[in-house]
Amino acid sequence: MAETLRRLVNTSSFSVLQDKLESWYKDYHVISCDQNLNRCCELVELTSKVQGQLFTILNLTAKEGGHYAGVETLKSRLLPWLGTCFTMATSTVTPDTSLNLIQESVEKGKRIRELSLSHECDMQKMETHLSSTRQQLDSVKQELADAQLELDDTKNKSATTLLATEDEILQLRAELQAACDEAELYKRRLEVQEDYERQVRVLREEVSYLTAEKALLQDRLVRSRSPSPLLRLSRSSSPLRADSPTRAQLTSSSRHARLVSRFSDLYALERLEAEALLRRYVSDAETVQRIIFIATVESFQAAKLAYRQFKLRVRKSLSPSHMGPETLEDAVVDYIVRNLDLYDVQASVTEVISAMHVNPKIAFPPEVDFVLLSSFIREVCQVAFAMQTLDPPLEVAFSSDGELYNENKYRRSYDSEFTAPMVVYHVWPALMEDDTVLVKGEAVTRRGALWRSRSRSASPVRSRSGSPARNLVSSRSRSPSLGRLSASRL
């Protein structure tokens, strides 16, 4: 028994158990669950080994005391303890083997402690590295916040700059529009000045021509007062000069063909350009076509009136000094053909625009004026004025909304109802020579045309703006031209 007790003391099993318990207590919250269970099982194994050795010592001590020695102690202390369902398996290993196992467990404990120390060192290093990483992350976050502030500041500055740039763009656009308007005004003034210069040049040529003609007539007058009867006889008996055609008669056929072709070009080119210009301001295609048709008819009427007045002035100027072989009427027409540039086309354009302002068939936005069609009206007036110098003159056919469609005078537009017998409105007038149609016009035919034409004719005269002052001024300014226009139509 003494030898077994000595070995148990030398192995210091309880100190090893204490060290292992302290080490496990320190590492309990660090190591994993499996490692905690392994350490607990290891302590249980060591405890069972120590208990096996203690039971061996207990057995040997009881034998040394005799057959009944220690019975009371075993009854009072060992049996109650065993009665708590504690069972002890008989140790199957020898004491030497158990001592070796205890030593191995001690060595394993040392290695575990060393590993735990190294693990703690590694954990400290990792915590240090983690703290440094967190500091770097905080610095990066601070830099990111600073960059975000700079970005917001830059955005605000960019927005302010963009607003300023937009204001500058708007201002530049306004200045550009004003410059364009001013350039357009200067262009119109230049055109007017060019017209004046051309008229002045034509008038100078006319003055020189009249001066030469006056000198020639004075020479003829002096010669006619001469007592020579042979000269008067030779003048009165010259049949060739009495039958010689004028320049107007010589160029009548060529001018006729040229003017008819020019009328077709007006329909094919200038009319489409005028429609494209009006469609920028008026969305209704029917209204645009009505406006252009009325402008064309009014231009012919104004040109006819201007031709009559111009012809009267020329006849009044040539009648006192006319002594030529041709008639006075031929001389007047010949003079007009030679001097078509003297036609005051701007006055006719103004009269046409004034007549269009009071036409009840046109519905036009008040913010747009008929001055947009000045160039188109000018071309039509010039062509119509030149057509009056022909013999017989060329006219546009009379037309009215709701009339019966005539295939000899018109052709239907693409959007017409080809089975409808009535005309809703006209797109282009027909060109007539007496009762012969030279160029067909264009009309739109639809069913219910008579009712539409009556409803349009019954509508009151339109007002171009909501301002009564503008209507009053415009009516006063248009009244003289309306009087002249009504007189010409009569």
Side-chain angles (χ1 to χ4, degrees):
M1 182 273 296
E3 184 64 25
T4 303
L5 182 60
R6 184 181 61 80
R7 289 179 181 177
L8 183 61
V9 172
N10 290 332
T11 54
S12 62
S13 299
F14 289 98
S15 62
V16 171
L17 286 173
Q18 184 64 28
D19 294 337
K20 286 184 177 290
L21 284 173
E22 291 177 358
S23 175
W24 184 25
Y25 177 74
K26 292 179 181 179
D27 300 337
Y28 181 80
H29 296 286
V30 179
I31 60 179
S32 63
C33 179
D34 292 336
Q35 291 177 350
N36 286 324
L37 292 176
N38 289 327
R39 288 196 179 186
C40 183
C41 292
E42 184 179 357
L43 290 174
V44 170
E45 290 176 355
L46 290 177
T47 304
S48 64
K49 291 176 183 179
V50 172
Q51 285 179 353
Q53 292 179 3
L54 290 176
F55 274 106
T56 302
I57 294 172
L58 181 62
N59 190 15
L60 294 175
T61 304
K63 287 179 179 182
E64 289 178 356
H67 186 70
Y68 295 103
V71 175
E72 295 296 332
T73 303
L74 292 175
K75 287 180 179 181
S76 61
R77 298 196 63 177
L78 181 61
L79 291 178
W81 179 68
L82 293 175
T84 58
C85 299
F86 175 79
T87 58
M88 180 188 67
T90 304
S91 179
T92 58
V93 295
T94 62
D96 296 335
T97 303
S98 63
L99 291 176
N100 293 330
L101 291 175
I102 291 173
Q103 290 178 356
E104 290 178 0
S105 64
V106 171
E107 293 177 358
K108 288 180 180 181
K110 290 181 180 179
R111 279 184 289 180
I112 289 172
R113 283 194 297 272
E114 292 176 357
L115 290 175
S116 64
L117 292 175
S118 63
H119 178 70
E120 289 179 357
C121 294
D122 294 337
M123 289 295 295
Q124 290 178 357
K125 292 180 180 179
M126 291 178 66
E127 289 179 356
T128 305
H129 182 68
L130 182 60
S131 61
S132 62
T133 305
R134 286 178 179 175
Q135 292 178 358
Q136 293 178 0
L137 182 60
D138 293 336
S139 62
V140 171
K141 286 183 179 179
Q142 185 64 30
E143 292 177 357
L144 183 60
D146 296 339
Q148 185 66 31
L149 293 176
E150 292 179 359
L151 181 60
D152 294 337
D153 190 12
T154 305
K155 284 183 179 180
N156 295 330
K157 292 181 180 179
S158 300
T160 306
T161 307
L162 181 60
L163 292 176
T165 306
E166 289 180 354
D167 295 337
E168 292 178 357
I169 290 174
L170 294 175
Q171 184 178 1
L172 291 175
R173 285 181 178 175
E175 293 178 356
L176 179 60
Q177 185 64 31
C180 291
D181 296 339
E182 188 176 359
E184 185 68 21
L185 179 61
Y186 288 156
K187 185 178 180 180
R188 293 181 181 177
R189 291 181 180 178
L190 182 60
E191 290 179 356
V192 173
Q193 185 178 0
E194 290 178 355
D195 292 339
Y196 289 159
E197 290 178 355
R198 184 171 62 254
Q199 292 179 6
V200 169
R201 185 171 61 254
V202 172
L203 289 175
R204 286 178 180 175
E205 293 177 356
E206 184 64 22
V207 168
S208 62
Y209 174 76
L210 292 176
T211 303
E213 187 175 1
K214 180 180 178 182
L216 181 60
L217 291 176
Q218 288 178 354
D219 189 15
R220 287 182 181 179
L221 182 61
V222 171
R223 290 183 182 180
S224 64
R225 293 177 181 178
S226 176
S228 175
L230 296 177
L231 182 59
R232 291 195 298 271
L233 180 61
S234 62
R235 287 184 179 180
S236 61
S237 61
S238 177
L240 297 177
R241 294 191 60 182
D243 297 335
S244 60
T246 61
R247 183 176 183 274
Q249 294 173 351
L250 289 173
T251 61
S252 178
S253 60
S254 62
R255 288 188 296 111
H256 183 279
R258 180 174 57 83
L259 290 174
V260 172
S261 176
R262 180 65 183 131
F263 184 80
S264 300
D265 292 339
L266 286 175
Y267 169 76
L269 299 177
E270 279 81 355
R271 179 184 68 88
L272 297 179
E273 293 178 357
E275 285 186 1
L277 179 61
L278 287 178
R279 287 303 295 270
R280 299 178 184 175
Y281 308 97
V282 184
S283 59
D284 188 15
E286 177 180 345
T287 304
V288 171
Q289 292 176 349
R290 284 180 180 272
I291 291 170
I292 294 176
F293 175 77
I294 292 173
T296 305
V297 174
E298 295 291 345
S299 299
F300 267 85
Q301 297 294 334
K304 287 171 60 178
L305 176 61
Y307 178 77
R308 292 173 187 173
Q309 295 175 354
F310 187 68
K311 190 175 182 180
L312 289 175
R313 291 197 300 269
V314 173
R315 183 185 288 111
K316 185 177 180 180
S317 299
L318 294 182
S319 59
S321 61
H322 178 68
M323 296 184 62
E326 70 276 0
T327 63
L328 179 60
E329 189 69 20
D330 292 340
V332 170
V333 175
D334 187 69
Y335 178 83
I336 294 175
V337 171
R338 291 175 182 271
N339 300 277
L340 290 176
D341 293 339
L342 296 179
Y343 167 47
D344 188 6
V345 66
Q346 186 61 38
S348 298
V349 171
T350 304
E351 291 182 2
V352 171
I353 294 175
S354 300
M356 293 175 66
H357 281 315
V358 296
N359 196 305
K361 296 181 181 180
I362 306 174
F364 205 72
E367 64 271 10
V368 184
D369 201 353
F370 290 121
V371 180
L372 292 171
L373 300 176
S374 297
S375 59
F376 173 75
I377 296 173
R378 181 187 297 273
E379 295 295 331
V380 177
C381 288
Q382 290 177 350
V383 173
F385 185 86
M387 286 181 176
Q388 305 307 310
T389 62
L390 298 175
D391 189 23
L394 303 183
E395 303 282 349
V396 292
F398 174 77
S399 59
S400 63
D401 294 345
E403 66 176 342
L404 189 64
Y405 175 72
N406 188 353
E407 293 184 355
N408 296 326
K409 292 171 59 177
Y410 301 102
R411 57 176 174 271
R412 288 184 172 91
S413 61
Y414 70 94
D415 55 346
S416 299
E417 295 180 4
F418 288 88
T419 58
M422 309 299 288
V423 176
V424 180
Y425 64 93
H426 297 79
V427 179
W428 191 253
L431 186 64
M432 306 286 292
E433 185 178 12
D434 289 338
D435 295 333
T436 305
V437 179
L438 297 180
V439 180
K440 284 186 177 183
E442 183 178 349
V444 179
T445 59
R446 295 194 187 110
R447 298 191 180 278
L450 184 60
W451 178 81
R452 293 181 185 179
S453 62
R454 286 179 179 176
S455 63
R456 287 183 179 273
S457 61
S459 61
V461 179
R462 62 181 175 84
S463 174
R464 289 185 56 80
S465 68
S467 175
R470 181 177 177 181
N471 295 331
L472 181 60
V473 174
S474 61
S475 62
R476 289 179 180 177
S477 61
R478 294 167 187 164
S479 58
S481 61
L482 293 176
R484 292 196 298 272
L485 187 59
S486 60
S488 67
R489 291 177 178 174
L490 292 175

